Amino acid sequence: LDHALRHAVNRGWMVPASFAVTAAATALVIGARVRHLRHQKEGQQETLFEE
């Protein structure tokens, strides 16, 4: 791939940038999942004590 693109995307700043983009995307997906799960549990009351 590098040879096909003539090393145009082979830059030193791309590794940290790709990690940052991946971390941001992961945070967004996890945040959306947590919001979805909280929304599903709204109105449901957990049992505090079992008899």
Side-chain angles (χ1 to χ4, degrees), residues 1-50:
L1 186 60
D2 284 338
H3 182 72
L5 297 174
R6 299 179 187 199
H7 298 280
V9 294
N10 190 11
R11 303 287 185 253
W13 57 267
M14 289 186 170
V15 171
S18 64
F19 281 133
V21 169
T22 302
T26 302
L28 287 172
V29 168
I30 290 174
R33 178 74 175 149
V34 168
R35 281 191 303 275
H36 177 73
L37 290 175
R38 273 195 199 139
H39 182 68
Q40 276 186 335
K41 286 188 173 186
E42 278 182 10
Q44 296 177 1
Q45 186 175 4
E46 294 182 25
T47 305
L48 295 177
F49 302 102
E50 292 185 26

